[in-house]
């Protein structure tokens, strides 16, 4: 069954909306197998009721919080009336538990459950989301936090913020409109950057016109307000779960922040006031509450647009003033200026690559997107354990693309041909007409997706795989 609005209104058990569930610890260590339920739930968006998906525990907690060093021991129960399969974005499971239909396992039918168990790995900010059909657009996603035991001892308040783009339309309708050239950037259908078509003069920022942008299921009409003591250090775990949206994080209201991790991997602290967060990416930033008290907004603006969402950090008793859902001007497009400044705490061991691959990011008329290995297709399908692999992704399209590799963490080692020892990630933005080179160690056998994390680009063909020879 597809995720149509009619199917949604008929589906499964309707759960009460609980945005605060993003903030509660999900479980204590040593409590055995956790049950995570995929079901529908109700939220309110700008005064209108909406039925969306959720990934919740029995107490309504949205997502999972686990201690590092143990197992990811989760039973996923599908309580919807659709097939469901969930990908554990940022974790490194064996391929059979990665949650990708047609590659790792079949989707779960309505009423079915599946038990996942594998080492949880290093701590950090991860997330989970549907990898079946277009369900991710209807919020089939949730945080997946792996806690460092040291974090419990530190005097830092932990706040998870998950960003979404929201439409009342069905995702099938959205994709059909894009293919018909009815979207806000319909020129993609006539002026693709490949196959002899004339490219657009300027890159487009966002294919889809959305009804709202959400931070923990809320707009700025009714934002989440988090109370923290004066002078308190707060760790914001920011998750870019926008289906077709890259966000600019505005930290001016709190006086800036220290960026301390990207995609669950620690980096040497970098002072930032604005930060790009592409689809699929995460960023951990440390902010400090004002010693004089008060309320401070943390704002998130889709690139190229004046709309915005956000949360409010406030000291106890401080008055909260409403913040407009529109900024004074459209946000700039994301670039890789900060990417070039990031220094990983744990970099890959320096060595020459054993395998060097090239991947072209391509678009064509009719909203067709693809990934082309060219002469490297055979080499991309014959990786061997122990190899150091480098991939240079060359974007020959008119839009940027957040590229996500399953089953591995990689290091960014070049942008536009300029080498440097960049951050370790699992998702990197490749700007329009630019290139990014990544390096990783081939240490997880199987067939692994590499795709654009813009859902409609992926659905329209922007997905490939890397395969091990044995």
């Amino acid at each position: 069954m597809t995720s149509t609005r009619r199917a949604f209104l008929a589906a499964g058990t309707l759960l009460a909306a609980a945005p605060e569930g993003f903030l509660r610890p999900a479980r204590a260590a040593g409590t055995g197998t956790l049950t995570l339920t995929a079901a529908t739930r109700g939220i309110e968006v700008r005064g209108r009721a909406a039925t969306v998906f959720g990934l919740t525990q029995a107490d309504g907690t949205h997502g999972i919080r686990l201690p590092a060093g143990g197992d990811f021991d989760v039973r996923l129960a599908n309580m919807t009336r659709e097939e469901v399969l969930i990908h554990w974005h940022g974790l490194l499971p064996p391929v059979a538990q990665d949650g990708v239909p047609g590659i790792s396992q079949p989707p779960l039918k309505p009423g079915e459950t599946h038990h996942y168990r594998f080492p949880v790995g290093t701590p950090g900010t991860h997330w989970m989301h549907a990898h079946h059909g277009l369900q991710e657009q209807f919020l089939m996603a949730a945080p997946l936090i792996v806690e460092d035991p040291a974090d419990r001892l530190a005097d830092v308040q932990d706040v998870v913020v998950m960003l979404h783009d929201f439409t009342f339309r069905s995702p099938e309708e959205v994709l059909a409109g894009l293919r018909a050239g009815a979207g806000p950037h319909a020129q993609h259908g006539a002026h693709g950057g490949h196959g002899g078509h004339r490219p657009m003069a300027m890159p487009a920022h966002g294919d889809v016109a959305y009804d709202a942008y959400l931070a923990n299921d809320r707009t700025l009409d009714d934002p989440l307000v988090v109370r923290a003591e004066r002078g308190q250090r707060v760790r914001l775990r920011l998750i870019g779960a926008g289906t077709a949206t890259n966000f600019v994080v505005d930290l001016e209201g709190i006086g800036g922040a220290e960026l301390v991790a990207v995609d669950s991997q620690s980096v040497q602290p970098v002072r930032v006031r604005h930060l790009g967060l592409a689809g699929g990416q995460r960023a951990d930033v440390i902010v400090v509450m004002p010693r004089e008290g008060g309320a401070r907004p943390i704002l998130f603006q889709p690139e190229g647009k004046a709309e915005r969402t956000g949360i409010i950090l406030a000291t106890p008793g401080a008055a909260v003033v409403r913040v407009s859902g529109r900024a004074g001007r459209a946000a700039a497009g994301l670039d890789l200026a900060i990417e070039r400044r990031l220094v990983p705490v744990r970099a890959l061991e320096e060595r020459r690559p054993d395998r060097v691959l090239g991947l072209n990011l391509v678009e064509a008329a009719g909203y067709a997107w693809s990934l082309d290995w060219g002469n490297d297709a055979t080499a991309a399908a014959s990786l061997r354990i122990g190899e150091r692999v480098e991939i240079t992704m060359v974007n020959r399209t008119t839009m940027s693309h957040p590229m996500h590799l399953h089953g591995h963490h990689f290091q960014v080692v070049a942008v536009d041909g300029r080498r440097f020892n960049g951050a370790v990630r699992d998702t990197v933005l490749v700007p329009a007409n630019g290139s990014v080179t990544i390096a990783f160690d081939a240490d997880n056998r199987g067939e692994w997706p590499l795709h654009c994390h813009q859902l409609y680009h992926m659905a329209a063909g922007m997905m490939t795989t890397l395969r091990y020879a044995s």
Side-chain angles (χ1 to χ4, degrees):
M1 183 188 300
T2 57
S3 302
T4 62
R5 173 56 54 189
R6 181 176 299 175
F8 243 154
L9 294 176
T13 304
L14 187 63
L15 305 179
E20 296 80 1
F22 284 93
L23 308 176
R24 296 195 300 266
R27 66 177 286 190
T31 55
T33 303
L34 179 151
T35 296
L36 186 72
T37 299
T40 53
R41 60 195 177 99
I43 64 173
E44 185 176 285
V45 179
R46 292 185 170 170
R48 290 178 61 184
T51 305
V52 298
F53 286 120
L55 294 166
T56 57
Q57 299 181 54
D59 65 355
T61 298
H62 198 56
I64 300 174
R65 186 183 294 264
L66 297 169
D71 280 349
F72 182 83
D73 184 4
V74 174
R75 181 178 291 107
L76 176 64
N78 179 10
M79 298 302 292
T80 76
R81 294 184 180 178
E82 304 184 20
E83 292 185 335
V84 167
L85 200 59
I86 303 302
H87 168 56
W88 320 108
H89 187 127
L91 299 187
L92 306 178
V95 69
Q97 300 189 61
D98 190 49
V100 181
I103 295 178
S104 53
Q105 68 179 108
L108 302 185
K109 297 184 184 304
E112 284 188 340
T113 65
H114 187 81
H115 189 188
Y116 297 84
R117 187 161 189 173
F118 54 86
V120 75
T122 56
T125 303
H126 313 280
W127 63 301
M128 63 187 90
H129 60 82
H131 227 297
H132 177 60
L134 302 174
Q135 293 169 337
E136 188 185 343
Q137 179 66 88
F138 274 154
L139 279 57
M140 183 72 94
L144 201 175
I145 309 302
V146 179
E147 282 189 334
D148 188 331
D151 291 343
R152 292 180 176 270
L153 303 177
D155 184 23
V156 180
Q157 185 169 330
D158 197 274
V159 177
V160 177
V161 183
M162 196 165 196
L163 304 175
H164 283 290
D165 39 29
F166 179 83
T167 175
F168 285 100
R169 294 178 293 163
S170 77
E172 290 79 15
E173 179 186 349
V174 171
L175 182 57
L178 291 168
R179 284 174 165 158
H185 298 289
Q187 57 265 53
H188 281 291
H191 303 304
H194 184 64
H197 297 282
R198 178 172 58 85
M200 294 188 301
M202 293 292 290
H205 300 307
D207 285 307
V208 182
Y210 281 101
D211 294 305
Y213 297 93
L214 309 178
N216 289 9
D217 291 350
R218 301 188 185 200
T219 68
L220 280 170
D221 293 334
D222 178 29
L224 179 69
V225 178
V226 178
R227 297 287 177 176
E229 297 295 331
R230 298 183 182 199
Q232 174 70 52
R233 297 175 74 234
V234 178
R235 184 185 193 110
L236 298 174
R237 298 182 182 268
L238 309 178
I239 301 173
T243 303
T245 302
N246 300 326
F247 287 91
V248 176
V249 183
D250 181 353
L251 298 156
E252 293 282 359
I254 198 75
E258 281 192 332
L259 174 64
V260 297
V262 294
D263 293 0
S264 79
Q265 304 296 309
S266 297
V267 296
Q268 299 293 340
V270 176
R271 193 73 188 171
V272 294
R273 287 183 172 269
H274 295 89
L275 175 67
L277 195 65
Q281 291 185 329
R282 290 87 66 213
D284 290 20
V285 298
I286 304 292
V287 302
V288 181
M289 297 298 292
R291 295 196 175 276
E292 68 276 15
R296 301 289 188 270
I298 308 295
L299 301 171
F300 310 96
Q301 193 170 348
E303 64 173 345
K305 299 181 181 179
E307 298 147 284
R308 62 187 179 185
T309 187
I311 68 167
I312 308 295
L313 300 180
T315 54
V320 176
V321 178
R322 181 171 176 173
V323 178
S324 172
R326 292 191 66 83
R329 60 184 178 182
L334 270 59
D335 60 30
L336 298 183
I338 290 179
E339 197 74 44
R340 293 182 175 92
R341 298 170 56 195
L342 299 182
V343 178
V345 171
R346 293 178 296 277
L348 294 185
E349 177 186 353
E350 290 194 24
R351 57 180 280 198
R352 294 180 64 86
D354 303 292
R355 192 176 297 249
V356 177
L357 305 172
L359 182 65
N360 291 311
L361 284 57
V362 178
E363 66 177 320
Y367 203 76
W369 303 88
S370 60
L371 298 173
D372 179 12
W373 289 109
N375 293 330
D376 292 338
T378 300
S382 57
L383 304 188
R384 296 187 181 277
I385 288 288
E387 289 184 326
R388 170 66 56 83
V389 181
E390 280 197 7
I391 304 173
T392 296
M393 296 177 284
V394 181
N395 187 351
R396 304 187 185 282
T397 81
T398 54
M399 293 185 70
S400 62
H401 301 280
M403 297 299 297
H404 173 53
L405 175 62
H406 289 224
H408 305 77
H409 295 143
F410 56 74
Q411 186 170 2
V412 179
V413 296
V415 170
D416 293 334
R418 182 178 176 183
R419 304 282 301 195
F420 63 102
N421 291 320
V424 176
R425 288 186 169 278
D426 56 58
T427 308
V428 67
L429 186 73
V430 184
N433 303 311
S435 71
V436 173
T437 302
I438 62 173
F440 67 92
D441 290 327
D443 56 6
N444 199 358
R445 295 183 191 276
E447 181 177 6
W448 296 102
L450 172 60
H451 63 87
C452 176
H453 220 282
Q454 206 273 39
L455 179 64
Y456 301 104
H457 292 177
M458 183 177 69
M462 209 165 206
M463 179 172 174
T464 186
T465 62
L466 290 159
R467 294 198 299 274
Y468 284 66
S470 59

